[in-house]
Amino acid sequence: EEEEEGDHSLLAFFTEKRYRRMMLLAVFMPLNQMWCGVNALTFYSTSFLEKLAVPFPVLSSAGILSFQVLSMLVAGRWIDRSGRKALMVASHAGMCVSLLVVCLLQWIPSAPLAAATYVPLISFVCFMLFFGIGAGPVCWVYVTEILPFALRGTVLPICTAIMILANIAVGMTFPVLLDRLGVVGAFGPYVAWNALAVFACAFGMIETKGATKDTIAKAFFGD
């Protein structure tokens, strides 16, 4: 089959020009899954909810995370209906706006107490819902689909390592940013990343919904 033609070695994957787009997408997807900011919310939600004076921060944190689980459970129905690219674009746009609302609210000193307290909470719930419909489930589905079968066993562990390193970076930097720069300084980089990811997904991804492996290979390698 066409997918099996040519050199599918790991060295070729990272060095040959014909693999460049596929390689960048395979690296981008797990990196993007962590740097969208989801684990900052997952690991440190109680800390920043306390900073935002949200009542019952522990219970509120549990509620936010429950929406992530809920959205993941229903995302499977949408992946094959809406397509991977559309879900990723919508997911990052929604996460960007959700975090942007939280940041902008910090610059309104006269905001009513109810708004300053509950709008961030609603924004974080929306963030988790948007993550759950796109960046969460699509990542590994997409990477597996675009990789030639001969490379999956060697490239997927590397993608996993990239995700772990990105996760460590988030875990080490977010509490420092939150402590020294406050909510805006902590979430601002994730607003920017998600904004960039909208364009990266819109113009960089090749849609794989309903595509055969030969169709995907042609999209990357040509005829």
Side-chain angles (χ1 to χ4, degrees), residues 73-86:
L73 293 175
V74 301
R77 289 182 172 270
W78 296 343
I79 289 178
D80 286 326
R81 291 182 181 179
S82 302
R84 287 74 165 130
K85 182 190 288 191

Side-chain angles (χ1 to χ4, degrees), residues 32-97:
N32 176 63
Q33 190 181 54
M34 294 295 100
W35 282 2
C36 70
V38 66
N39 278 357
L41 270 71
T42 302
F43 296 157
Y44 302 107
S45 54
T46 302
S47 299
F48 60 73
L49 287 175
E50 289 176 347
K51 271 188 174 291
L52 293 169
V54 173
F56 309 109
V58 176
L59 289 176
S60 297
S61 175
I64 290 171
L65 298 180
S66 68
F67 280 96
Q68 180 184 0
V69 176
L70 178 63
S71 60
M72 288 280 196
L73 293 175
V74 301
R77 289 182 172 270
W78 296 343
I79 289 178
D80 286 326
R81 291 182 181 179
S82 302
R84 287 74 165 130
K85 182 190 288 191
L87 285 179
M88 288 294 288
V89 170
S91 177
H92 284 289
M95 289 189 289
C96 178
V97 172

Side-chain angles (χ1 to χ4, degrees), residues 136-214:
V138 170
C139 171
W140 296 108
V141 172
Y142 189 76
V143 172
T144 303
E145 287 176 333
I146 66 173
L147 290 175
F149 182 78
L151 280 169
R152 289 175 193 168
T154 51
V155 174
L156 285 175
I158 294 173
C159 293
T160 304
I162 291 170
M163 181 191 70
I164 292 171
L165 291 173
N167 191 24
I168 292 172
V170 170
M172 293 180 66
T173 58
F174 184 81
V176 176
L177 292 172
L178 185 63
D179 182 60
R180 296 185 180 181
L181 301 178
V183 172
V184 175
F187 285 112
Y190 299 116
V191 173
W193 178 270
N194 281 296
L196 292 173
V198 170
F199 294 97
C201 293
F203 298 105
M205 289 179 67
I206 289 173
E207 182 55 68
T208 58
K209 182 187 77 168
T212 65
K213 59 184 180 179
D214 288 341

Side-chain angles (χ1 to χ4, degrees), residues 81-139:
R81 291 182 181 179
S82 302
R84 287 74 165 130
K85 182 190 288 191
L87 285 179
M88 288 294 288
V89 170
S91 177
H92 284 289
M95 289 189 289
C96 178
V97 172
S98 298
L99 294 183
L100 182 61
V101 168
V102 175
C103 292
L104 291 177
L105 195 62
Q106 307 310 303
W107 291 334
I108 306 177
S110 59
L113 180 60
T117 301
Y118 292 105
V119 170
L121 186 60
I122 295 170
S123 296
F124 292 137
V125 168
C126 291
F127 177 96
M128 287 301 187
L129 290 173
F130 280 113
F131 174 82
I133 65 168
V138 170
C139 171

